[in-house]
Amino acid sequence: MSTQRIQPSFATTGGTLSEANLVIGGHGSETMEARPFAIPSKKLVMWLFIISDSVTFGAMLFAYGYLKNASPVWPSPFKFYPSIFNVLLMTFVLVSSSLTMLIAIGHAKAGDKGKAIRWTYFTAALGVLFAILHLREWSGLAAEGVHMFSNPWGSPMFGATFYSITGLHLTHVLGGVIALTVVGTRYGTGRYTADDLELGALYWHFVDLVWMFVVPMVYLMNIAR
């Protein structure tokens, strides 16, 4: 007795559609492959990076809080002027840069490429200003004797944790400045789209949000009395 293989078929308005007919243009699954998630792959990668980076910052801030509570001589070196005043100024600059980035994205989605590029560059310039203010703060603390593993007031771990947390954040800010400059330039030449510019904005807002946790935990809880 011979066995005959039955070819599966699907009814259509004009006849039947065989399994082989599902291959369109000779490309098979490559043509029919759908996006695996509900958001574009590049945005998904950015979100995964942000989530993993959030864990890193969270662990560092947790370690900072643990060491602070465990030490009976944790320093409180930040006077309102110039330290806290400078931090408030830095915060204003960084929050303003998030606003200017939102304006840039708005112009990009509206198709006004010129204004989008200008506001993106302005955001990067505010990032540079933030970095300058941060380095000025470090310079003042170093002049008072705050180094990585020593300070005049108490636990030597203060300098290590302070410079590690703020240094990591500053590195992210400088990385964001470079990224926004590159993406803005390539967006202007047509190599990147408004969606690519939006990815840069997503990263920049993350950097801004992290700073909102650094300020109260590292600065405001250590104001000199």
Side-chain angles (χ1 to χ4, degrees):
M1 177 182 293
S2 62
T3 303
Q4 182 179 2
R5 181 178 181 270
I6 299 175
Q7 179 73 23
S9 61
F10 304 90
T12 65
T13 55
T16 59
L17 178 64
S18 68
E19 189 177 40
N21 293 136
L22 291 176
V23 179
I24 300 175
H27 296 291
S29 61
E30 180 181 346
T31 304
M32 298 295 292
E33 183 178 359
R35 181 184 299 165
F37 300 98
I39 63 175
S41 298
K42 289 188 289 186
K43 183 172 286 188
L44 175 63
V45 170
M46 179 58 74
W47 274 113
L48 291 176
F49 169 77
I50 288 174
I51 292 171
S52 63
D53 224 20
S54 299
V55 173
T56 301
F57 275 106
M60 294 186 71
L61 289 172
F62 176 82
Y64 178 88
Y66 178 82
L67 291 172
K68 180 179 184 298
N69 290 327
S71 174
V73 288
W74 194 262
S76 297
F78 301 115
K79 300 176 183 177
F80 179 79
Y81 189 87
S83 294
I84 299 302
F85 178 81
N86 189 65
V87 168
L88 294 177
L89 181 58
M90 291 161 61
T91 303
F92 175 77
V93 169
L94 203 56
V95 172
S96 298
S97 71
S98 277
L99 178 61
T100 58
M101 197 64 225
L102 284 174
I103 296 173
I105 296 302
H107 286 301
K109 290 185 175 180
D112 193 337
K113 184 175 288 189
K115 288 184 178 179
I117 295 171
R118 285 195 293 272
W119 282 102
T120 300
Y121 286 160
F122 187 48
T123 302
L126 289 175
V128 173
L129 177 58
F130 176 88
I132 292 173
L133 292 172
H134 216 327
L135 292 175
R136 186 181 73 171
E137 178 207 9
W138 280 3
S139 177
L141 289 172
E144 293 181 19
V146 181
H147 304 293
M148 281 293 291
F149 296 104
S150 65
N151 64 80
W153 306 294
S155 173
M157 290 301 296
F158 170 77
T161 53
F162 170 77
Y163 286 121
S164 295
I165 294 172
T166 57
L168 181 62
H169 182 265
L170 180 58
T171 302
H172 280 68
V173 170
L174 294 176
V177 168
I178 296 172
L180 290 180
T181 303
V182 172
V183 172
T185 301
R186 294 190 175 184
Y187 172 67
T189 61
R191 295 182 62 184
Y192 284 171
T193 65
D195 291 337
D196 297 310
L197 200 63
E198 190 175 7
L199 289 179
L202 187 60
Y203 171 82
W204 192 255
H205 295 322
F206 164 70
V207 171
D208 190 357
L209 181 62
V210 169
W211 184 246
M212 297 301 106
F213 287 91
V214 172
V215 170
M217 288 198 65
V218 176
Y219 292 96
L220 300 184
M221 293 179 66
N222 293 289
I223 297 179
R225 294 176 176 83

